[in-house]
């Protein structure tokens, strides 16, 4: 038991609290909690936090928890709109060796999307939207193809909802996993994504409204590319003509992950369609998977 002593004045409280953590066995937890308390106490002093404001902040946290359930994760959304997810993603995945830039996971990845044959359509019901044909390769930093890589893709429907948010869509709609061939290639069919608002019916939506921020994301596809021997790449590819590229509410759009969507006019028996070609470069490392934000 650590006897941290009687609390003296307001100024010495921070050191007293950190001293109470002295016996923490896990050294990383000890470091994290001491720094968290130092920064949180500094924040309280800097803004001269009132008792009412502390109540409101704690109520916000409680409501984040209450809004979170199997098919919605308000905690991830909160970290996303505050730029915390993007900061951690950029710091943990510096694109230093020519690998594809990472982007935040977001709250909508589900594990175990259907494994699909090359070229399969990830729209699991007819959708009235322009078809998009996506193709590319998975490479190492020397440009060598990586066979057997798993390319996990997910996107919102053109009306802006992921299937887990929308009873009108089949389970696992617009989600699929593809395995690269010997030349590192993958390809699939989908529909052209559109920009959409993040969920605004919870406490995060209230915060965005109070900050007079729009809730929109630029049109994008999510990718998680993984294989044994490579560091898992979590990223998003943005449509080059998308609205909100320069004001993404979750700060996910970085310059190098903008992809070129090429429009091909209707011809003979083919409708107008888009193509997107994009190669992913993986760095050597360990294959890991995040904890799915939803079930
Ligand atoms: C998304 O793109 O799926 C997303 C990312 C962050 C917050 C909300 C949605
Ligand atoms: Fe998304």
């Amino acid at each position: 038991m650590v006897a941290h002593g009687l609390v003296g004045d307001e100024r010495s409280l921070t050191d007293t609290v950190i001293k109470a953590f002295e016996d923490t066995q896990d050294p990383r937890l000890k470091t994290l909690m001491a720094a968290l308390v130092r920064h949180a106490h500094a924040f309280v002093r800097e803004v001269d936090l009132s008792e009412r404001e502390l109540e409101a902040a704690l109520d916000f946290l409680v409501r984040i928890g209450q809004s979170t359930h199997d098919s919605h994760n308000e905690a991830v959304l909160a970290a996303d709109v505050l730029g915390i997810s993007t900061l951690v993603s950029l710091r943990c995945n510096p694109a230093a060796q020519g690998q594809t830039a990472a982007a935040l996971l977001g709250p909508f990845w589900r594990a175990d999307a259907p494994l699909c044959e090359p070229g399969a359509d990830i729209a699991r019901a007819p959708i009235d939207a322009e078809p998009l044909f996506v193709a590319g390769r998975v490479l190492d930093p020397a440009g060598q193809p990586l066979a057997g890589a798993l390319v996990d893709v997910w996107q919102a429907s053109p009306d802006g909802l992921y299937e887990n948010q929308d009873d009108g869509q089949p389970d696992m709609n617009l989600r699929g996993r593809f395995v690269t061939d010997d030349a590192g290639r993958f390809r699939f069919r989908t529909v052209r994504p559109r920009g959409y608002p993040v969920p605004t019916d919870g406490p995060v939506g209230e915060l965005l409204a109070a900050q007079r921020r729009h809730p929109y994301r630029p049109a994008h596809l999510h990718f998680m590319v993984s294989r044994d021997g490579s560091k898992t790449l979590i990223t998003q590819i943005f449509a080059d003509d998308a609205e909100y590229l320069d004001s993404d509410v979750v700060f996910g759009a970085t310059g190098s992950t903008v992809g070129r969507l090429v429009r091909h006019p209707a011809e003979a028996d083919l409708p107008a369609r888009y193509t997107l070609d994009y190669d992913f470069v993986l760095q050597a490392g360990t294959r890991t998977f995040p904890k799915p934000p939803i079930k």
Side-chain angles (χ1 to χ4, degrees), residues 73 75-81 83-93 101-113 152-156 162 164 175 196 198-199 217 220-226 232-238 248 250-254 257 288-295:
N73 196 319
V76 171
L77 185 60
D80 294 346
V81 302
I84 295 169
S85 307
T86 291
L87 180 60
V88 173
S89 166
L90 293 178
R91 284 183 54 81
C92 293
N93 302 280
L104 74 170
L105 176 71
F108 294 124
W109 177 64
R110 288 179 69 189
D112 301 325
D152 188 342
V153 57
W154 67 104
Q155 72 173 92
Y162 285 81
N164 56 288
R175 300 176 185 270
Y196 63 83
V198 301
R217 300 223 54 213
H220 61 274
L221 299 169
H222 293 262
F223 289 91
M224 185 183 301
V225 187
S226 68
T232 300
L233 170 70
I234 298 171
T235 193
Q236 303 175 23
I237 305 303
F238 295 88
D248 182 357
V250 296
F251 313 98
T254 55
T257 50
T288 57
F289 293 100
K291 178 177 158 59
I294 53 172
K295 293 224 172 92

